[in-house]
Amino acid sequence: MLKALPLHDHGLKASNLILGCMGFGGGWNRNPIGIEHIKQAHEAVEAALESGINMFDHADIYAFGKAETVFGQVLKEKPALRENIIIQSKLGIRFADEEIGVPTRYDFSKSYMLESVDGILSRLGIDYLDTLLLHRPDALMNAREVGEVFHQLKESGKVRYFGVSNMSAGQIRLLQRYCDEKLVVNQLEISLKKIGWLETGVHVNQLAARDNVFPEGTLEYCQLENIQLQAWGSLAQGLYSGRNLENESDAVKKTASLVHQLAEEKQTSKEAIVLAWLMRHPAAIQPIIGTIDPSRIQACAEAEQVKLSRDEWYTLYVSSRGVSLP
């Protein structure tokens, strides 16, 4: 059952969860794509669809482009799938070029962005992207130029909607000043472990605020402007759902135990508890699940049926932070 998401107001009937496709294509290496990688992708996509997930998140750099290429092969073999799913990708990160001594950097220049979108579409084998995000803030970003690129991509039919990733309210506001198109997404690392997005609000007028790097006002700005908050790293890399905790803090171990207890009480998966905690927040957060394991995809999808009380939500939050609220 779909809950109300900001994306719905913009015309994108997206699922509550997104399948992140970084794990497609055989990983971060230059090895060629094999039949097993395509089979694996088919199984992951099928598991997502059967679980009610219709949105898929990519980036041009994932597995050095192989993730999009493998997904494109899935679409080629099942062409009817394209019109029933929402495809999102990101651009702007350029890897280091050791031959000429250039480090990893970010690039929102007009020529690079246009070239990147053409590359994304080619690898996916599609004519348009539903959503295109700027992956990480480019220190040399010319907001007016980005706005011109977005307009050109929209006019050409190559991109339907635009958004950002890892950006603050101020950065989004600057971009929006020069963009005709409404920015509809901000994708951030937020989870039961990565709680700076909550601490920023809790620590107003508190000394502890000095140690929090989450940009103040970003959560509120996205809600005010009806910008969809997407959570990457939403499962905290399995920290509370089965990962070895031998070298982890007492807070992590206690929180993992609470997640396990709640999962047993509610007869659901640990992944579902972790994701339901995010989805309980009134900002209508849309978690991205970065797994290609069909059974884990199904376990994550159970989150849509989980109801956490206010007390349960706060118990998990306070346990994660490791100290009482001020």
Side-chain angles (χ1 to χ4, degrees):
M1 177 180 176
L2 286 180
K3 72 175 187 178
L5 296 176
L7 282 181
H8 299 168
D9 295 335
H10 298 299
L12 282 167
K13 296 305 178 184
S15 49
N16 300 333
L17 298 175
I18 303 172
L19 184 65
C21 299
M22 187 169 66
F24 285 33
W28 295 89
N29 55 59
R30 301 292 184 177
N31 298 337
I33 294 169
I35 294 174
E36 69 277 12
H37 301 131
I38 297 171
K39 179 176 181 293
Q40 190 179 54
H42 271 290
E43 292 172 349
V45 170
E46 189 62 32
L49 295 172
E50 289 177 355
S51 300
I53 298 171
N54 72 347
M55 189 165 186
F56 298 85
D57 178 71
H58 290 270
D60 56 359
I61 62 168
Y62 288 169
F64 299 108
K66 292 186 298 177
E68 289 177 336
T69 300
V70 164
F71 198 90
Q73 186 61 36
V74 171
L75 293 176
K76 183 178 181 181
E77 295 175 12
K78 293 186 176 180
L81 186 60
R82 175 64 188 101
E83 297 308 312
N84 296 308
I85 63 175
I86 296 170
I87 301 178
Q88 172 174 283
S89 195
K90 303 180 287 292
L91 59 75
I93 297 178
R94 301 187 68 171
F95 289 124
D97 191 332
E98 296 179 0
E99 291 186 5
I100 58 175
V102 178
T104 296
R105 66 279 196 201
Y106 308 136
D107 192 341
F108 294 167
S109 64
K110 181 176 182 178
S111 60
Y112 187 74
M113 289 178 66
L114 292 174
E115 179 185 332
S116 296
V117 170
D118 285 343
I120 291 168
L121 295 177
S122 176
R123 285 187 294 275
L124 289 169
I126 58 178
D127 297 324
Y128 68 93
L129 279 173
D130 293 292
T131 47
L132 174 70
L133 311 186
L134 302 177
H135 207 157
R136 285 191 179 276
D138 174 13
L140 295 179
M141 177 185 75
N142 181 319
R144 187 185 299 275
E145 184 175 14
V146 172
E148 291 171 356
V149 173
F150 281 1
H151 179 75
Q152 184 173 334
L153 290 170
K154 178 75 172 185
E155 287 294 298
S156 67
K158 292 180 179 180
V159 180
R160 295 177 64 201
Y161 298 93
F162 301 89
V164 299
S165 182
N166 304 298
M167 287 200 185
S168 68
Q171 291 167 320
I172 300 171
R173 192 179 292 113
L174 173 62
L175 268 172
Q176 191 65 78
R177 169 68 176 79
Y178 295 100
C179 291
D180 295 334
E181 298 300 318
K182 169 72 175 174
L183 299 174
V184 301
V185 171
N186 189 14
Q187 188 178 118
L188 300 163
E189 184 183 10
I190 50 181
S191 69
L192 182 54
K193 173 62 176 174
K194 191 82 171 182
I195 55 174
W197 56 289
L198 293 172
E199 299 288 85
T200 298
V202 167
H203 286 154
V204 170
N205 202 34
Q206 299 286 325
L207 186 62
R210 66 181 183 182
D211 298 321
N212 190 2
V213 298
F214 191 86
E216 184 177 351
T218 297
L219 197 71
E220 293 80 4
Y221 176 78
C222 289
Q223 291 178 84
L224 284 168
E225 295 299 320
N226 210 27
I227 294 172
Q228 181 67 59
L229 283 163
Q230 295 178 350
W232 67 267
S234 61
L235 288 166
Q237 291 74 49
L239 199 60
Y240 307 116
S241 53
R243 205 171 88 191
N244 187 303
L245 303 180
E246 183 178 352
N247 299 315
E248 298 295 340
S249 68
D250 289 342
V252 167
K253 291 175 182 176
K254 179 184 176 183
T255 306
S257 179
L258 283 170
V259 168
H260 178 76
Q261 178 185 325
L262 284 168
E264 288 196 332
E265 289 175 1
K266 298 179 183 295
Q267 298 185 325
T268 190
S269 68
K270 288 177 282 190
E271 289 89 349
I273 297 297
V274 174
L275 295 175
W277 182 82
L278 273 178
M279 296 163 73
R280 172 72 169 77
H281 194 275
I285 295 165
Q286 193 182 26
I288 300 168
I289 55 173
T291 179
I292 56 174
D293 180 347
S295 63
R296 198 160 185 237
I297 292 171
Q298 292 162 359
C300 290
E302 293 177 20
E304 300 189 52
Q305 311 305 321
V306 175
K307 305 290 186 184
L308 290 180
S309 69
R310 174 179 284 267
D311 286 349
E312 289 168 338
W313 189 91
Y314 265 103
T315 299
L316 286 169
Y317 172 35
V318 174
S319 176
S320 175
R321 70 196 308 270
V323 294
S324 300
L325 287 168

